[in-house]
């Protein structure tokens, strides 16, 4: 295997420079160290935990202080806080498919966790962290809030004028999605490589 890599000249092998000298077998067998990958994974999970806790705490406050009360005006009638329970997806879409949205959120979490192993890009770490934190925030509602497990209604409370009511988890998901679109257009992959189509 080491001989094949030497012939191909992969950039991660000591012989890639083309000096043609034999390396000790122990040196050839060692994979290249990429500690920055671990740091990117740490960033991903730090962003996810921050987004998740911010969403969780905000919903606890809303349920305790705002639910069953009059909305609070922040910017006149342009932006107000109004607690509602949403059985649908983000922004109140598809209330008849609560279980399906719960499954989709769980799948997103698993995919992000698997993708984290190949993550070497800081912007992608932030984007996936936002997605993960937001998905976990709404999934927690789906599992633990009434009317039942996997059918729970999400707590929404940010109510701009002429727009659907949403929460901080929805905001994290949207921001993460926008960042992923921007990174994709710029040709930056999660593994840190840049390509131009």
């Amino acid at each position: 295997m080491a001989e094949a890599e030497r012939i191909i000249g992969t950039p991660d092998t000591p012989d890639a420079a083309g000096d043609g000298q034999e390396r000790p077998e122990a040196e050839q067998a060692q994979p290249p160290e990429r500690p920055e990958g671990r740091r990117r994974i740490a960033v991903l999970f730090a962003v996810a935990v921050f987004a998740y806790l911010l969403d969780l705490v905000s919903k606890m406050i809303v349920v305790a202080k705002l639910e069953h009360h009059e909305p609070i005006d922040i910017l006149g009638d342009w932006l107000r806080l109004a607690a509602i329970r949403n059985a649908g997806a983000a922004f109140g879409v598809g209330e008849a498919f609560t279980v399906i949205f719960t499954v989709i959120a769980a799948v997103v979490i698993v995919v992000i966790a698997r993708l984290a192993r190949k993550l070497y890009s800081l912007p992608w770490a932030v984007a996936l962290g936002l997605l993960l934190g937001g998905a976990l925030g709404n999934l927690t509602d789906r599992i633990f809030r009434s009317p039942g497990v996997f059918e729970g209604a999400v707590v929404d409370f940010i109510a701009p004028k002429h727009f659907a009511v949403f929460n901080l988890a929805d905001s994290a998901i949207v921001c993460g999605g926008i960042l992923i679109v921007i990174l994709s257009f710029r040709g930056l992959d999660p593994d840190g490589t840049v390509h131009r189509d």
Side-chain angles (χ1 to χ4, degrees):
M1 180 67 173
E3 181 65 18
E5 290 178 349
R6 187 188 66 75
I7 293 170
I8 295 171
T10 57
D12 290 332
T13 60
D15 288 337
D19 58 11
Q21 296 179 0
E22 281 295 320
R23 306 292 186 194
E25 188 173 333
E27 186 180 332
Q28 291 178 356
Q30 291 178 351
E33 292 278 334
R34 292 194 74 176
E36 70 273 11
R38 286 187 227 107
R39 286 194 289 269
R40 302 303 185 258
I41 293 172
V43 168
L44 186 157
F45 287 110
V47 171
V49 168
F50 178 77
Y52 175 73
L53 291 179
L54 199 61
D55 178 68
L56 185 64
V57 170
S58 67
K59 288 173 179 174
M60 291 171 63
I61 293 171
V62 165
V63 169
K65 303 292 185 181
L66 189 59
E67 202 166 37
H68 310 301
H69 292 82
E70 289 296 313
I72 299 173
D73 291 336
I74 304 298
L75 295 173
D77 62 347
W78 287 97
L79 178 64
R80 58 178 51 180
L81 301 180
I84 67 165
R85 297 292 180 112
N86 173 17
F91 311 114
V93 178
E95 294 190 7
F97 303 101
T98 305
V99 175
I100 294 173
F101 294 132
T102 304
V103 172
I104 291 172
V107 169
V108 167
I109 291 167
V110 171
V111 168
I112 292 173
R114 289 178 58 88
L115 186 59
R117 294 179 299 174
K118 301 177 181 178
L119 186 64
Y120 294 98
S121 166
L122 182 59
W124 270 95
V126 173
L128 293 176
L130 288 170
L131 282 180
L132 181 59
L136 283 171
N138 283 340
L139 185 61
T140 299
D141 282 3
R142 303 282 186 205
I143 294 173
F144 295 107
R145 296 197 188 277
S146 59
V149 177
F150 300 119
E151 297 181 350
V154 173
V155 175
D156 288 335
F157 57 92
I158 304 171
K161 188 176 182 180
H162 305 308
F163 196 72
V165 184
F166 59 97
N167 58 42
L168 295 181
D170 296 333
S171 301
I173 291 169
V174 170
C175 290
I178 291 171
L179 184 52
I180 286 173
V181 170
I182 292 171
L183 294 173
S184 298
F185 271 114
R186 295 187 65 182
L188 181 62
D189 291 334
D191 63 2
T193 58
V194 179
H195 64 273
R196 302 292 179 196
D197 292 334

